[in-house]
């Protein structure tokens, strides 16, 4: 009975996630902060005012041992991150939900809201601890269920239910895409990388290749499309990529992948309790 209950819970979370995707096109923030108004850092990187929406909906997901990734709210108690962030490489096992903590709008040791993690699910095809391969490239994402409805305070991001071709079309506009998250070389502030471009896709998958400079900690960062005061998630950065011209960039899972795969608990039932 316990196994059936947890499978039902996972299915319910997945259904809730798909519902958010379905209504995302109707979400419109009253006023989205202009990335051009953020503090200058270096190159295309800016320091976000994480107390302001939409940056307040993006946060740092901390896990045992002092590591972290980026995650972002898509509902009052739901957040997305990269699935590989939830695997403890040293222990070769999944992090328990109680080992994880999310701080939305984290900046200089402060945050807009925070919550522990109640549970999480990952795509069926995700292989914990495996090196990224084309065969399961789309599976590196996870849906977190938070203990507290902090999206009511921090806000949450709308998702544009786009496929690879649509995201590529969006990226043709100058400055159409940006990435915001927490980098290991600036782990106490949220930084925005603007003027990102789509430069291709990973053969055999719906992974979008982009030219946003990336580093450890960026995993789970949203790729955003901003048009006036409307902001949409069009992808989630999961891998670092070295392009042929020597520039660093990354690979992002696009929303179409989130809508077409089933999910399962990554950890054992004991870990989900």
């Amino acid at each position: 009975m316990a196994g059936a209950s947890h499978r039902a819970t996972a299915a319910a979370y997945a259904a809730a996630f798909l519902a958010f995707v379905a209504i995302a096109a109707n979400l419109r923030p009253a006023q989205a902060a202009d990335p051009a108004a953020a503090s200058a850092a270096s190159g295309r990187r800016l320091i976000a005012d994480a107390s302001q929406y939409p940056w307040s909906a993006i946060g740092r997901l901390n896990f045992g041992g002092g590591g972290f990734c980026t995650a972002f709210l898509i509902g009052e108690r739901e957040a997305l991150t990269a699935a590989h962030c939830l695997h403890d490489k040293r222990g070769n096992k999944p992090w328990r939900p109680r080992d994880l903590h999310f701080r939305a709008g984290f900046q200089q040791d402060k945050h807009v809201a925070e919550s522990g993690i109640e549970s999480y699910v990952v795509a069926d095809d995700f292989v914990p601890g495996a090196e990224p391969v084309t065969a399961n490239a789309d599976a590196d994402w996870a849906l977190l269920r938070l203990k507290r409805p902090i999206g009511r305070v921090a806000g949450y991001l709308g998702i544009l239910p786009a496929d690879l071709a649509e995201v590529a079309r969006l990226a043709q506009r100058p400055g159409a895409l940006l990435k915001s998250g927490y980098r290991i070389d600036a782990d106490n502030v949220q930084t925005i990388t603007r003027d990102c471009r789509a430069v291709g896709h990973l053969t055999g998958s719906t992974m979008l290749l982009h030219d946003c400079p990336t580093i450890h900690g960026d995993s789970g960062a949203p790729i955003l499309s901003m048009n006036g005061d409307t902001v949409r998630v069009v992808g989630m950065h999961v891998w670092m990529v070295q392009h042929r011209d020597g520039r660093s960039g990354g690979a992002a899972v696009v929303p179409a992948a989130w809508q077409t795969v089933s999910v399962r608990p990554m950890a054992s039932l004991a870990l989900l309790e």
Side-chain angles (χ1 to χ4, degrees):
M1 292 296 293
S5 174
H6 280 291
R7 286 194 295 272
T9 301
Y13 292 167
F17 167 67
L18 295 179
F20 278 115
V21 172
I23 66 173
N26 296 318
L27 296 177
R28 181 182 177 86
Q31 185 175 6
D34 184 353
S39 301
S42 61
R44 289 183 289 167
R45 284 179 52 196
L46 305 169
I47 297 176
D49 181 354
S51 67
Q52 299 297 311
Y53 184 85
W55 323 120
S56 57
I58 303 166
R60 210 174 87 162
L61 179 66
N62 298 324
F63 37 85
F68 68 90
C69 278
T70 301
F72 56 95
L73 290 161
I74 60 167
E76 292 183 355
R77 294 180 62 184
E78 291 77 29
L80 281 174
T81 193
H84 73 257
C85 293
L86 304 178
H87 185 74
D88 176 7
K89 291 183 178 180
R90 291 182 180 178
N92 193 27
K93 61 183 179 181
W95 289 111
R96 297 170 297 186
R98 69 186 185 197
D99 295 326
L100 306 171
H101 195 82
F102 180 62
R103 301 179 71 179
F106 176 73
Q107 202 90 331
Q108 301 288 0
D109 295 324
K110 298 180 180 179
H111 55 252
V112 173
E114 55 82 27
S115 175
I117 307 303
E118 183 177 283
S119 61
Y120 60 82
V121 290
V122 299
D124 270 336
D125 293 339
F126 177 68
V127 181
E131 291 299 318
V133 294
T134 302
N136 65 352
D138 302 341
D140 195 355
W141 62 269
L143 175 63
L144 308 172
R145 174 72 170 177
L146 308 183
K147 290 183 176 180
R148 302 173 56 231
I150 62 173
R152 297 176 186 175
V153 177
Y156 48 91
L157 300 175
I159 299 172
L160 182 67
D163 58 16
L164 188 63
E166 187 169 359
V167 175
R169 285 195 297 271
L170 283 172
Q172 298 307 308
R173 301 197 316 267
L177 303 181
L178 58 87
K179 173 175 63 68
S180 192
Y182 295 85
R183 302 161 56 97
I184 197 169
D185 61 348
D187 61 359
N188 209 30
V189 294
Q190 184 182 148
T191 55
I192 303 166
T193 307
R194 56 182 181 175
D195 299 329
C196 297
R197 295 181 303 126
V199 295
H201 70 279
L202 190 62
T203 303
S205 77
T206 55
M207 296 287 286
L208 175 77
L209 298 178
H210 62 80
D211 70 347
C212 275
T214 60
I215 196 171
H216 292 294
D218 277 330
S219 293
I223 305 295
L224 301 171
S225 171
M226 297 192 72
N227 184 10
D229 63 353
T230 301
V231 58
R232 297 285 185 271
V233 177
V234 298
M236 178 175 63
H237 169 76
V238 292
W239 302 348
M240 291 186 290
V241 172
Q242 194 75 20
H243 296 300
R244 292 178 179 177
D245 61 4
R247 293 178 302 159
S248 68
V253 182
V254 300
W258 308 332
Q259 301 174 70
T260 57
V261 297
S262 57
V263 297
R264 61 175 169 79
M266 177 175 169
S268 67
L269 297 183
L271 295 184
L272 286 173
E273 292 175 350

